[in-house]
């Protein structure tokens, strides 16, 4: 990181440069260095004004999030910088190119005048980390842009354009041409009558109404409430007191488990992109993709690819399915335009990038082929044998399989090195997670290309080795196994769901399987009854399926769905479960919600540890990200493995040993990795590198 300081006329330009995102690092001394230069310029008679500027594409992404781990007091250096900038006797202009986020935006707000390039973007993303703008932003931005708009920015974390920022008064000018030249020209005027020192501006007129409205917003997090509390303090007109309150709230949030979990996930989503040991093998660019299979998954995948501005061919031999696929894509893209998410021009351009055919031979040659046909090895064989015949030699051949053996699929071709798994989660155009399955013979550059492709389409790619269920579904099966055992031991479906939803799971297991289709789980249990006879499930879900109750799609599963969507408790199911307990001579007992949560979540953790131990998942954080981005695990808990570290592995082992003495205790054999880490007094986090 470096600072380039140059005198241009009577102006001092301080250009700070800290690749890759110009983070305002305290640990590395950048923040302190900027502050010293601004302070020194106060007594430099050759300097009449100061320009602060970052890169052309990133003014600053904000504070260095890693700075705070173990040294929360580092935020103080940022506050000192903001105060020095605001109290400067010489006008300070922020010349903003590109991204201006978090502490970067607070620096701009503390300056006396703000000039931005037309492509600049502005946001306070702190709330997505469970934090609040801790560098004076809660006190200064409302005074600059009005309370309502500033609160919107801080509570949403969303970015606004330079034009929008100008409109609300967050910045002062959008530069015509080079933003630095424009800033120099403005600074040369001495900012006479132009300077707006935000901290010294009056209390915003809309403060009371904005606070009132914000306080009634749904799902306000702790950080959100603290932001509102800080903005409310502006009414007292005492900037120092407001800054003190902000500092106190920031300190509490920084140390909170929620923020630690969210920061863990922030870095985790970037760590999973790193393939251990592999220098980033050269990845082959993908600009055109052929999707083979126009069913629900194929349609969702095609939409995701078109939304990433790729050229897409869909191959679907069944005319009606092909028409339905095409219609589904049209509907999705046009709805995005109707809702204003994209312009109609973008929507039309994306639709023009789609071609549909009934045979592979008619499809345009592609860089990547994604097979998304029925989960049947015969069907996969047909597709991959055809792909081997028609796909260009350096094309990547991917299967969207969720349960079948990718290595077996690769053997249907003469090029297993080019075969990889791309396991999308339905709906594929919505769900962020993409399991990138590396086969035994998948070449490093094929894997690297798949990971680059994942980021290209806005997915979180996580590498999984080949096993039954890869990472997500294999862990999920142990979670479900405990949920079904709990039903025959004494819990009801609604109690299991309520307990886990109270823990933070987006949807309880009974509801999830009613939504996904109980028959899917039934097929997996039937297969596993043959492949893993020593690991039986409870019969309860099978009994539900034997009644033809597959969930929402049949109007009933664990619950009734009179309106097709809203679950209603069904006494028939409760009677069925009680009768089954009697059938297996199991005395039902009252089960505490806490046991439900521990049994289901600890089962996830144990299986996740087995996956890491077997090398199926590279690191514990890979399991966390799969669960955060694909299975509705609560973001505030950081993922199963991060959560395990909060419990402590020794305590986790104690609980698991208790469960080993209970119903189907065999399922609680601890993963060797947990035993090993506990013995060394280490954590899963110690393995995340
Ligand atoms: N701190 C530390 N590292 C960061 C970082 C940050 N703020 N932002 C990005 N990185 C790293 C990231 O981990 C990755 O590292 C590399 O930069 C490229 O990032 C005081 C307290 C800016 C939109 O929340 O949103 O200011 O993997 O892959 O896709 O009140 O990064 O290469 O080793 O994401 O081009 C508030 C977070 C901080 C912005 C660029 N700011 N960053 O996206 O690249 S708290 C944020 C982003 C704060 C103040 C408070 C994105 C990006 P590696 P990347 P990208």
């Amino acid at each position: 990181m470096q600072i380039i300081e140059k005198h241009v006329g009577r102006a001092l330009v301080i250009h700070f440069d800290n690749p890759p995102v110009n983070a305002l690092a305290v640990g590395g001394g950048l923040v302190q260095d900027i502050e010293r230069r601004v302070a020194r310029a106060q007594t430099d008679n050759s300097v009449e004004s100061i320009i602060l500027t970052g890169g052309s594409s990133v003014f600053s992404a904000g504070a260095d999030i890693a700075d705070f781990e173990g040294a929360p007091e580092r935020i103080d250096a940022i506050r000192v910088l903001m105060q020095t900038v605001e109290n400067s006797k010489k006008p300070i202009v922020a010349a903003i190119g590109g991204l201006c986020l978090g502490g970067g935006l607070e620096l701009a707000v503390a300056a006396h005048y703000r000039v931005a390039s037309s492509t600049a973007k502005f946001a306070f993303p702190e709330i997505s980390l469970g934090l609040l703008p801790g560098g004076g932003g809660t006190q200064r931005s409302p005074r600059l842009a009005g309370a309502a708009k500033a609160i919107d920015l801080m509570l949403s974390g969303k970015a606004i354009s330079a034009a929008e920022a100008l409109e609300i008064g967050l910045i002062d000018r959008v530069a015509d041409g080079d933003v630095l030249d424009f800033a120099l020209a403005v600074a040369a005027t001495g900012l006479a009558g132009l300077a707006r020192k935000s901290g010294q501006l009056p209390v915003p007129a809309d403060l009371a109404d904005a606070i009132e409205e914000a306080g009634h917003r749904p799902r306000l997090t702790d950080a959100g409430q603290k932001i509102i509390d800080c903005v409310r303090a502006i009414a007292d007109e005492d900037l120092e007191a407001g800054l003190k309150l902000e500092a106190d709230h920031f300190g509490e949030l920084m140390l909170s488990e929620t923020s630690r979990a969210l920061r863990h996930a922030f870095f985790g989503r970037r760590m999973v992109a790193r393939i251990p040991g592999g220098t980033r093998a050269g990845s082959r660019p993908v600009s055109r993709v052929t999707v083979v299979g126009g069913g629900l998954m194929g349609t969702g995948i095609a939409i995701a690819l078109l939304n990433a501005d790729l050229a897409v061919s869909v191959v679907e031999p069944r005319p009606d399915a092909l028409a339905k696929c095409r219609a589904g894509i049209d509907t999705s893209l046009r709805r995005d335009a109707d809702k204003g998410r994209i312009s109609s021009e973008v929507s039309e351009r994306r639709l023009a990038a789609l071609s549909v055919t009934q045979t592979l031979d008619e499809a345009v040659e592609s860089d990547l082929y994604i097979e998304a046909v029925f989960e049947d090895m015969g069907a996969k064989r047909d597709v991959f044998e055809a792909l081997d015949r028609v796909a260009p030699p350096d094309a990547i051949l991917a299967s969207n399989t969720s349960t079948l053996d990718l290595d077996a699929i690769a053997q249907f071709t003469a090029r297993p090195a080019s075969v990889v798994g791309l396991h999308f989660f339905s709906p594929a155009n919505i769900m962020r997670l993409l399991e990138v399955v590396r086969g035994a013979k998948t070449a490093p550059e094929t894997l690297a290309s798949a990971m680059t492709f994942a980021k290209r389409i806005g997915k979180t790619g996580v590498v999984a080795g080949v096993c039954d269920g890869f990472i997500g579904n294999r862990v999920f099966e142990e979670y479900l196994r405990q949920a079904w055992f709990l039903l025959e031991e004494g819990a009801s479906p609604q109690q299991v769901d309520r307990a886990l939803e109270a823990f933070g799971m987006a949807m309880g297991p009974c509801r999830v399987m009613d939504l996904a289709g109980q028959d899917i789980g039934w097929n997996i249990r039937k297969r596993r009854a043959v492949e893993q006879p020593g690991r039986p499930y409870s019969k309860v879900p099978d009994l539900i399926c034997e009644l033809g109750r597959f969930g929402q799609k049949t109007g009933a599963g664990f619950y009734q769905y009179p309106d097709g969507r809203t679950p209603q408790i069904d006494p028939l199911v409760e009677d069925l479960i009680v009768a089954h307990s009697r059938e297996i001579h199991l005395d039902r007992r009252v089960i505490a919600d806490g046991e439900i949560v521990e049994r289901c979540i600890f089962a996830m953790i144990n299986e996740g540890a087995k996956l890491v131990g077997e090398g199926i998942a590279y690191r514990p954080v890979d399991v966390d990200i799969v669960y955060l981005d694909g299975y509705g695990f609560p973001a505030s808990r950081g993922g199963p493995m991060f959560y395990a570290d909060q419990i402590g592995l020794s305590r986790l082992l104690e609980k698991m040993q208790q469960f080993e003495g209970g119903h189907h205790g065999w399922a609680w054999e601890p993963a060797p990795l947990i035993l090993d880490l506990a013995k060394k007094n280490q954590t899963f986090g110690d393995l995340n590198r």
Side-chain angles (χ1 to χ4, degrees), residues 6 99 115 224 232 266 320 336 356 374 387 397 437 461-462 471 493 504 535 632 642 649 673:
K6 65 180 177 181
L99 291 174
V115 178
R232 182 183 293 110
F266 173 85
D320 56 334
D336 284 347
V356 295
F374 186 61
L387 288 176
L397 311 181
V437 184
V462 181
I471 296 174
R535 298 179 66 81
F642 183 85
L649 298 188
L673 179 62

Side-chain angles (χ1 to χ4, degrees), residues 235-579:
D236 301 334
E237 301 196 18
D238 180 344
L239 178 66
E240 288 317 305
L243 290 172
K244 172 75 173 61
L245 178 68
E246 177 191 275
D248 293 345
H249 279 341
F250 183 85
E252 288 168 42
L253 291 171
M254 173 60 62
L255 297 175
S256 70
E257 289 211 357
T258 294
S259 181
R260 290 176 58 243
L262 292 168
R263 300 193 314 262
H264 164 73
F266 173 85
F267 287 115
R269 287 192 182 93
R270 289 149 180 88
M271 190 182 290
V272 297
R274 290 200 281 272
I275 298 169
T279 49
R280 196 64 182 254
S283 60
R284 297 196 288 269
V286 173
S287 59
R288 168 174 285 281
V289 183
T290 291
V291 178
V292 183
L296 177 68
M297 280 309 287
T299 302
I301 292 169
I303 294 169
L305 303 182
L306 290 166
N307 287 345
D309 293 313
L310 288 164
V312 179
S313 298
V314 174
V315 178
E316 170 52 61
R318 300 165 297 172
D320 56 334
L322 187 57
K324 189 177 176 189
C325 171
R326 168 99 227 191
I329 294 170
D330 269 5
T331 303
S332 175
L333 290 174
R334 296 191 195 289
R335 183 174 52 231
D336 284 347
D338 295 345
K339 289 182 182 281
R341 292 180 195 136
I342 54 175
S343 67
S344 51
E345 292 74 22
V346 168
S347 173
E348 291 309 317
R349 186 184 75 232
R350 287 175 178 172
L351 283 170
L354 170 68
S355 59
V356 295
T357 65
Q358 286 185 253
T359 67
L360 198 51
D361 293 300
E362 293 170 280
V364 179
E365 279 201 348
S366 292
D367 312 304
L368 166 65
Y369 292 77
I370 302 176
E371 166 272 312
V373 300
F374 186 61
E375 277 294 88
D376 168 82
M377 202 51 110
K380 309 286 188 193
R381 174 201 297 273
D382 294 346
V383 170
F384 276 84
E385 285 177 347
L387 288 176
D388 203 27
R389 193 177 63 252
V390 304
D394 59 355
I396 298 165
L397 311 181
S399 171
N400 173 56
T401 185
S402 56
T403 58
L404 300 178
D405 181 345
L406 183 82
D407 290 332
I409 292 170
Q411 293 312 314
F412 297 144
T413 75
R415 43 176 138 172
S418 299
V419 177
V420 69
L422 289 178
H423 178 212
F424 288 82
F425 287 75
S426 186
N429 54 309
I430 305 293
M431 293 301 285
R432 187 170 178 180
L433 177 64
L434 179 63
E435 280 185 319
V436 178
V437 184
R438 72 177 191 285
K441 294 182 178 173
T442 301
E445 59 274 7
T446 301
L447 190 61
S449 304
M451 292 300 282
T452 302
F453 168 74
K455 178 156 188 174
R456 167 79 173 74
I457 63 172
K459 300 290 183 188
T460 305
V462 181
V463 177
V466 174
C467 71
D468 181 0
F470 309 135
I471 296 174
N473 285 340
R474 179 164 147 190
V475 166
F476 201 61
E477 282 305 305
E478 297 313 313
Y479 169 77
L480 293 180
R481 189 192 306 281
Q482 291 304 318
W484 308 152
F485 283 151
L486 284 157
L487 294 177
E488 64 186 26
E489 291 177 65
S492 66
Q494 56 274 20
Q495 185 193 2
V496 170
D497 283 350
R498 263 201 315 267
L500 286 160
E501 287 163 15
F503 170 78
M505 294 301 289
M507 196 183 278
C510 302
R511 284 179 62 202
V512 159
M513 291 315 294
D514 268 3
L515 180 65
Q518 293 289 351
D519 49 331
I520 291 173
W522 199 17
N523 291 334
I524 290 172
R525 292 189 299 275
K526 286 176 185 172
R527 174 170 58 77
R528 285 182 159 215
V530 174
E531 294 168 1
Q532 303 172 5
R535 298 179 66 81
Y537 297 79
S538 163
K539 286 286 178 219
V540 167
D542 295 355
L543 296 171
I544 300 276
C545 290
E546 284 163 13
L547 298 174
R549 296 171 67 112
F550 295 159
Q552 280 190 19
K553 61 184 170 185
T554 59
F558 275 112
Y559 302 99
Q560 284 277 11
Y561 294 89
D563 66 357
R565 291 171 54 83
T566 312
Q568 269 189 6
I569 292 168
D570 187 345
L572 177 149
V573 169
E574 297 197 55
D575 294 346
L576 176 152
I577 293 171
V578 169

Side-chain angles (χ1 to χ4, degrees), residues 19-21 23-24 58 60-68 75 78 82 99 101-104 106 123-126 128-129 131-137 246 250 254 266-267 270-271 273-274 455:
V21 295
L24 292 176
V58 183
S60 169
D64 183 331
I65 304 167
D67 255 351
F68 305 126
I75 183 75
I78 290 178
M82 306 304 179
L99 291 174
L101 310 176
E106 291 176 294
F124 282 126
E126 289 88 338
S128 64
L129 299 169
L131 298 172
L132 54 74
E246 177 191 275
F250 183 85
M254 173 60 62
F266 173 85
F267 287 115
R270 289 149 180 88
M271 190 182 290
R274 290 200 281 272
K455 178 156 188 174

